[in-house]
Amino acid sequence: MIVLNIELTMKQMENKVVLITGAAQGIGFATAKAFAVTGASVVLADCDKDLINKAADHLNADGYKTLAIVCDVSDDAQVKIMVDKIVATFGRLDIAFNNAGIQNALADAADQTIEDFNRVTGVNLRGVWSCMKYELQQMRKQGNGAIVNCSSIGGILGAAQRGTYHGAKHGIIGLTKSAALEYASRGIRINSICPGLIHTPMADKMVADGQQDALNTMLAAVPVGRLGRPEEIANVVVFLCSDAASLIVGHTLVVDGGYSIQ
């Protein structure tokens, strides 16, 4: 019988060093707060300097241990510098949530531009690849660690005019499974999550860009009948990185209120 002891899980996270990319807002910030509450030292990374410093200051004001790092995950050199700084500051890296992501410009496959393709895949796929690479270099030295990569329901489904985004999110699942096979025997667990429709700045941008009808159509197909909350994704990430999930390896956990099972 499996018993999830919340107090024990929190104790296990105490003094862990956690990296979260795309941490300035939305799912990333909610996850940073969820780990901070457990007593972990949380590194918040984002390409937006003002937003990431504001996010870290918010958590610091509540007494949590944080470090803000400005990093564009599409730049391999910046990712290496980020991980090096974490190790120099804390001496280790125990957990990583590779969450940074952006949406593509809506266009049919024949009309998508190479510039947008490179922009989206650079963050959403190559960014996860770079982050995992340098995170794993440190974790294998330690002989332990846990990584969660943020895919999407776009990683298991298709959608018109979103091929670049969905292609990158599908790719994350492949990267996750392959790396999980390589490192499971070395004490490092790697999994991915597929959030559904979550109330985040990305969802707000869809509305601002005139996609309210598209969002409403998708929402109508969600069995639970509502948008998810960032905190609901954060709780899943903390679970996957805890000892309570010690046998979960290379898994893609869908958190979408039932949208994708129809």
Side-chain angles (χ1 to χ4, degrees):
M1 181 175 68
I2 298 176
V3 178
L4 179 57
N5 186 317
I6 300 301
E7 290 185 3
L8 179 60
T9 298
M10 291 182 67
K11 186 175 182 180
Q12 291 167 349
M13 292 293 178
E14 263 188 315
N15 302 318
K16 296 287 188 182
V17 178
V18 181
L19 165 63
I20 299 168
T21 66
Q25 52 190 343
I27 290 172
F29 179 72
T31 307
K33 185 173 182 178
F35 274 111
V37 168
T38 70
S41 296
V42 182
V43 180
L44 295 86
D46 201 280
C47 63
D48 190 312
K49 180 179 179 180
D50 292 337
L51 282 180
I52 198 61
N53 285 328
K54 182 178 179 180
D57 288 345
H58 179 82
L59 294 179
N60 287 336
D62 289 335
Y64 299 122
K65 297 172 288 186
T66 70
L67 172 67
I69 296 180
V70 179
C71 179
D72 177 353
V73 298
S74 69
D75 185 328
D76 191 70
Q78 288 190 40
V79 175
K80 183 180 187 306
I81 291 170
M82 172 180 68
V83 174
D84 286 347
K85 183 174 182 178
I86 293 168
V87 177
T89 303
F90 298 103
R92 59 188 299 108
L93 175 60
D94 301 296
I95 293 167
F97 178 39
N98 298 319
N99 166 69
I102 56 176
Q103 185 58 265
N104 68 281
L106 295 182
D108 287 350
D111 302 316
Q112 292 169 358
T113 66
I114 187 64
E115 291 80 12
D116 194 57
F117 179 87
N118 288 338
R119 180 184 70 90
V120 173
T121 58
V123 174
N124 292 6
L125 185 57
R126 192 175 70 241
V128 171
W129 173 82
S130 288
C131 287
M132 270 210 306
K133 177 173 66 174
Y134 294 113
E135 291 156 2
L136 286 167
Q137 287 177 10
Q138 175 59 31
M139 289 177 178
R140 71 184 178 187
K141 292 177 185 177
Q142 301 166 185
N144 57 75
I147 295 174
V148 174
N149 295 321
C150 193
S151 180
S152 163
I153 54 170
I156 58 173
L157 302 173
Q161 297 192 319
R162 298 184 185 276
T164 301
Y165 178 83
H166 284 235
K169 291 298 187 177
H170 273 72
I172 288 172
I173 293 173
L175 286 177
T176 299
K177 290 180 177 180
S178 296
L181 288 171
E182 295 168 3
Y183 287 92
S185 63
R186 295 187 245 185
I188 303 168
R189 292 186 304 105
I190 308 171
N191 293 288
S192 62
I193 61 168
C194 290
L197 297 174
I198 311 298
H199 190 188
T200 65
M202 187 178 288
D204 291 338
K205 188 175 187 303
M206 285 181 64
V207 175
D209 290 345
Q211 300 178 53
Q212 180 69 65
D213 289 344
L215 185 61
N216 289 342
T217 298
M218 289 187 288
L219 187 57
V222 177
V224 298
R226 64 173 176 84
L227 290 172
R229 298 184 297 273
E231 294 77 14
E232 292 175 302
I233 305 302
N235 291 337
V236 172
V237 177
V238 173
F239 163 70
L240 286 174
C241 294
S242 74
D243 289 349
S246 57
L247 201 60
I248 301 178
V249 174
H251 182 65
T252 302
L253 182 53
V254 180
V255 191
D256 70 349
Y259 180 86
S260 62
I261 63 174
Q262 303 174 81

